[in-house]
Amino acid sequence: MKTTTILFMLTLVCSIAFGQSDKSKRLSPPDSVKVTTNDGVTVDIHYSRPSLKGRKIGVDIVKIGEVWRTGANEATTVDFDKDVLIEGKKLPKGKYSLYTIPGEQETIVIFNKTWDQWGTKYDQNQDALRVNVSSETSNLAQEQFKIDVDKSGKIGLAWGDYLLPVQVKAAP
């Protein structure tokens, strides 16, 4: 009887602990995209997808001039299997966390060397590269944050009616 009670309690504790670690049940569920570009770079991105829920970008969330983790939950990661040029600037192959600083016309896209962390633990001293990218608008409103990569090497960050294209090419 005592052994049965102990096993039951252990099972209950494990069920609660592991049941809450199911990331697919989060309010901002995980997603990923992996593409090999036309010039042979494999881009592998893992992120979480927050929803707008009536909030306004630049006002309620993702504030202008402030560092944003570019997703939700753990830091968004971007992995390149080759040295690349991001908007013409060299970035060594490897895995990086992705942050942005939104602006009115331009957004700063940040590739940070510390990737295995919660998304809000940004350390500017670990930045590997910062590039400025023109912010665009889309006529297709995106309720949930989305990242796409196409074969030409364009990474597209989309949320609400904002679209941020980031060009990636194999480094010579």
Side-chain angles (χ1 to χ4, degrees):
M1 179 70 170
K2 193 175 191 180
T3 304
T4 304
T5 303
I6 291 171
L7 285 174
F8 173 74
M9 292 304 288
L10 185 59
T11 302
L12 182 62
V13 168
C14 287
S15 296
I16 291 170
F18 293 114
Q20 291 183 2
S21 66
D22 182 358
K23 293 179 183 182
S24 67
K25 302 224 186 296
R26 290 179 175 176
L27 292 175
S28 299
D31 203 350
S32 64
V33 59
K34 185 175 185 177
V35 171
T36 300
T37 64
N38 293 332
D39 59 0
V41 177
T42 299
V43 180
D44 189 8
I45 302 175
H46 294 264
Y47 67 106
S48 291
R49 300 185 65 195
S51 296
L52 285 175
K53 298 180 188 170
R55 301 174 292 182
K56 292 191 180 224
I57 294 174
V59 178
D60 306 312
I61 51 174
V62 190
K63 299 202 173 157
I64 302 295
E66 294 182 15
V67 173
W68 179 50
R69 68 173 117 180
T70 316
N73 306 319
E74 295 85 3
T76 293
T77 61
V78 182
D79 195 354
F80 303 105
D81 72 335
K82 293 181 167 86
D83 292 351
V84 293
L85 297 175
I86 307 288
E87 295 294 321
K89 294 184 178 181
K90 190 162 185 173
L91 182 66
K93 73 177 181 177
K95 193 171 191 175
Y96 301 92
S97 55
L98 183 67
Y99 292 89
T100 49
I101 303 175
E104 294 290 334
Q105 276 78 38
E106 282 191 333
T107 295
I108 299 169
V109 179
I110 304 165
F111 295 86
N112 189 278
K113 294 179 235 172
T114 307
W115 58 268
D116 190 16
Q117 65 182 1
W118 194 253
T120 56
K121 295 189 180 210
Y122 171 71
D123 179 1
Q124 181 175 345
N125 294 321
Q126 294 299 309
D127 288 355
L129 179 67
R130 285 179 168 223
V131 294
N132 290 349
V133 178
S134 294
S135 305
E136 298 179 3
T137 56
S138 169
N139 18 343
L140 200 63
Q142 189 78 34
E143 169 63 24
Q144 219 173 18
F145 177 66
K146 178 118 177 97
I147 300 177
D148 283 315
V149 182
D150 67 22
K151 297 290 273 178
S152 74
K154 185 179 85 177
I155 298 173
L157 309 175
W159 202 16
D161 62 353
Y162 292 94
L163 179 62
L164 192 65
V166 182
Q167 189 61 54
V168 176
K169 294 186 178 192

